[in-house]
Amino acid sequence: MQKQIPKGKLLLIGGAEDKGKSTIVDIEGKNKQFEEFEILKGLLPEKKGKRILEIITTASQEPKEVMKTYQRAFKEIGFNHIGFISMENNPQARNPLWIKRINNAHAVLFAGGDQFRLSTILGNTDIIDVIMERYYKDPDFIVAGTSAGAMAAASLMIYEGQRNEAMLKNTVKVSSGLGFIDHCIIDTHFVKRGRFGRLVEALLMNPSCIGIGLGEDTALVIRKGNEAECKGSGMVVILDGRDISETNIAYAEPGTPLWAENLRVHILTKGNYFLLHERKFAASKKQLNKEKIGSKIIDKVKPDKIIIENGKKITKKKPKKAAKKRVKK
Amino acid sequence: MQKQIPKGKLLLIGGAEDKGKSTIVDIEGKNKQFEEFEILKGLLPEKKGKRILEIITTASQEPKEVMKTYQRAFKEIGFNHIGFISMENNPQARNPLWIKRINNAHAVLFAGGDQFRLSTILGNTDIIDVIMERYYKDPDFIVAGTSAGAMAAASLMIYEGQRNEAMLKNTVKVSSGLGFIDHCIIDTHFVKRGRFGRLVEALLMNPSCIGIGLGEDTALVIRKGNEAECKGSGMVVILDGRDISETNIAYAEPGTPLWAENLRVHILTKGNYFLLHERKFAASKKQLNKEKIGSKIIDKVKPDKIIIENGKKITKKKPKKAAKKRVKK
């Protein structure tokens, strides 16, 4: 069964996104491209009309402080209505009132905390089904997650993993996420918390995935479940294990260091793109469009005949038809 | 002019190496392959005989505490004599007494502190000339550096570079190191201090180099200026920029984020090797020897004839000589 292509947008945020005057982002004074509210503004609908955002605070056990900050920030950006939904257990996640509110919203934001709470309390519940349905069917709908909320967005999720000087086998623990996107493992606060090793370990364990390391105040906006655009003041580190030629992940003993050869890494900042299915980097929107066209027509092009003999490559061009004589009018 | 091949060993340590009971390495209880004194034991001579180690403490402004810890640790390992040389300015680095002591030692260790002190106080002085000469000529001589001492060992050295969520152009500053090895940029405390971004930036600025990120209590032993062996309880991250297809380093404005496509990364742990000139990873000593033989004989092998036609690869094997008929004895 092939999965449908979602019509809505997915916004994955690395945590600690700028919330205006109430918070200070470390990089604010240094990065000359810093823009206030850059990421949270991504939650505004593209068309005019209702601006109703529902924030799900299930990841946090004490969401009051977060609620206050978001309330202020989103009001400043220009939302008409911000709601908070705190579900503490599975039955609450089937409450028809919440379902109705989700159906009325144009965007949903999973706030930070503990991603394991998100996935275990909300996984396989009506509320996720409804969000999923709107995400797949409604081109104006936005699903967003920040910090734990972003980590839980993919089908696979890191729920535990200390930072060590080596990647010690079985340190990183992975379970099911909410499933808004497949074949990705998402990590957040990636730079500040030095999480390179833990994302590599998660990737070695799950080689069909791409590793996405989101810096703070940095995000990927994913369209059609594939086209990821980088936003914000930090960087996104993409790890692609496709070319890994050797690693000891399969046979290393628990608690011993892991190694790997030939990991491919891309570093994205604001304005860069990445095609998740094709695993292709694009520096700009223009290049992205070229990549997209390229991958569609590549099958139709008959290659020139290439002969490799004694290590030398000889390309035999297909003979072009003789150019027609141009006759002066 | 081609450089000579050094006969001695170079030991580059990521800092915070295990010093026995007096210090606790974070990973000690978790990594099942942890060995006490593993790295510092690498300073023992391979042959029996004099075990004289000189420790250069110039990088530190207050080396007394370090001296005490090293004194205890090296005594426990079995050194006959440990000396400390604290040079505070260039004239001291030309003192014939120090030169004599270096000539008498079998190993020199540059201790940690500020690498900029090391490179500016000791760069282009008699003491470095003498260490260099012994390193190139004496197969039993060991040059070692830990933390700042390792960072200063290469020809190029990072002397400044904060950790930010993005790599902001001109954040990382590079100057000349002591020059025991070329075409490398070495960073230390790599995991704990989250220095991935700063090493990538240094690499983008200096594309002919390999980036070496040494974890704590982790080291590379480099033989013949080329064959690097990983030791210790953490990991070494090798960054190779050879395949970088696009980056904005050349034209980005100062203070704006840098991006890069297609960085190649290897993660080494104890027992892995890396050939610095060939930029080749080898999982084990056995594989290393294969790589070394491989790179020598590769030119002599005539490849089979390969024809690529319409995207399909056809290999035409060279005809083997008809097998001789086996006659029963």
Side-chain angles (χ1 to χ4, degrees), chain B residues 172-207:
Chain B
V172 174
K173 301 206 168 80
V174 165
S175 63
S176 295
L178 299 174
F180 295 108
I181 189 155
D182 295 328
H183 302 301
C184 289
I185 296 183
I186 297 154
D187 212 341
T188 57
H189 305 279
F190 194 68
V191 179
K192 187 175 275 171
R193 301 193 189 167
R195 287 176 164 175
F196 182 76
R198 96 170 189 179
L199 189 55
V200 174
E201 182 169 348
L203 192 68
L204 294 177
M205 289 163 69
N206 302 281

Side-chain angles (χ1 to χ4, degrees), chain A residues 165 216 246 262 264 287, chain B residues 165 216 246 262 264 287:
Chain A
E165 289 295 324
E216 295 189 349
E246 271 205 85
N262 252 356
R264 192 191 289 254
Q287 218 187 67
Chain B
E165 290 294 324
E216 295 188 349
E246 271 205 85
N262 252 355
R264 191 191 291 253
Q287 218 188 66

Side-chain angles (χ1 to χ4, degrees), chain B residues 152-315:
Chain B
S155 306
L156 270 184
M157 169 191 98
I158 298 173
Y159 70 91
E160 209 184 289
Q162 292 170 303
R163 170 170 63 179
N164 289 315
E165 290 294 324
M167 305 182 294
L168 299 177
K169 187 160 167 184
N170 288 5
T171 302
V172 174
K173 301 206 168 80
V174 165
S175 63
S176 295
L178 299 174
F180 295 108
I181 189 155
D182 295 328
H183 302 301
C184 289
I185 296 183
I186 297 154
D187 212 341
T188 57
H189 305 279
F190 194 68
V191 179
K192 187 175 275 171
R193 301 193 189 167
R195 287 176 164 175
F196 182 76
R198 96 170 189 179
L199 189 55
V200 174
E201 182 169 348
L203 192 68
L204 294 177
M205 289 163 69
N206 302 281
S208 68
C209 291
I210 276 188
I212 299 179
L214 301 164
E216 295 188 349
D217 192 41
T218 312
L220 285 184
V221 185
I222 302 176
R223 294 177 181 89
K224 298 176 193 162
N226 187 32
E227 299 171 26
E229 178 188 358
C230 184
K231 292 263 188 189
S233 62
M235 64 181 173
V236 175
V237 178
I238 304 260
L239 307 182
D240 180 358
R242 190 113 194 156
D243 295 338
I244 287 179
S245 20
E246 271 205 85
T247 166
N248 63 340
I249 182 82
Y251 55 82
E253 294 291 324
T256 62
L258 298 171
W259 49 264
E261 179 187 4
N262 252 355
L263 182 70
R264 191 191 291 253
V265 177
H266 310 286
I267 291 161
L268 277 62
T269 61
K270 191 197 299 208
N272 293 147
Y273 289 79
F274 193 77
L275 290 169
L276 295 166
H277 299 163
E278 294 84 355
R279 299 177 176 232
K280 284 231 172 189
F281 172 96
S284 62
K285 180 122 194 176
K286 204 173 151 186
Q287 218 188 66
L288 175 83
N289 291 332
K290 273 192 205 163
E291 289 289 355
K292 276 158 54 183
I293 295 165
S295 58
K296 270 181 207 155
I297 62 165
I298 205 152
D299 292 334
K300 295 180 192 160
V301 180
K302 275 203 176 180
D304 296 323
K305 191 172 179 178
I306 298 167
I307 298 174
I308 298 173
E309 206 174 328
N310 293 336
K312 280 182 193 167
K313 198 165 81 179
I314 308 150
T315 308

